Amino acid sequence: MPGNSITRRHASTTSTTTCFSTSASAIGRGVCGGTLEQLGEDVSEQLEIVPARFKVILHVRPRLVCTCCDCVV
């Protein structure tokens, strides 16, 4: 990529902070109900060609983990 490329970042967000996992550790309780916190993020790049220039778009999706049952969302 040329050093003068424009990079735009699109960060996804989630409005939920509660785990709805029905994993083995939540059996007997229905859904877990624990609090989600960010574990990391997945980033993918998309190259968009605009006449006479390049633009890089980063798509960022948070990876969340439940603090109660360790379920990764």
Side-chain angles (χ1 to χ4, degrees):
M1 290 301 308
N4 60 351
S5 297
I6 297 169
T7 300
R8 191 171 69 204
R9 180 181 171 102
H10 285 265
S12 298
T13 59
T14 180
S15 60
T16 184
T17 57
T18 304
C19 179
F20 293 102
S21 171
T22 55
S23 66
S25 62
I27 290 179
R29 296 184 288 156
V31 295
C32 174
T35 302
L36 295 175
E37 55 181 45
Q38 187 162 342
L39 171 66
E41 61 187 22
D42 293 321
V43 178
S44 64
E45 289 186 357
Q46 173 184 348
L47 180 61
E48 183 177 294
I49 300 174
V50 179
R53 65 182 179 153
F54 289 97
K55 178 173 32 174
V56 177
I57 302 169
L58 297 177
H59 297 276
V60 181
R61 290 168 297 286
R63 298 182 68 204
L64 304 174
V65 64
C66 176
T67 57
C68 183
C69 72
D70 294 329
C71 174
V72 177
V73 179

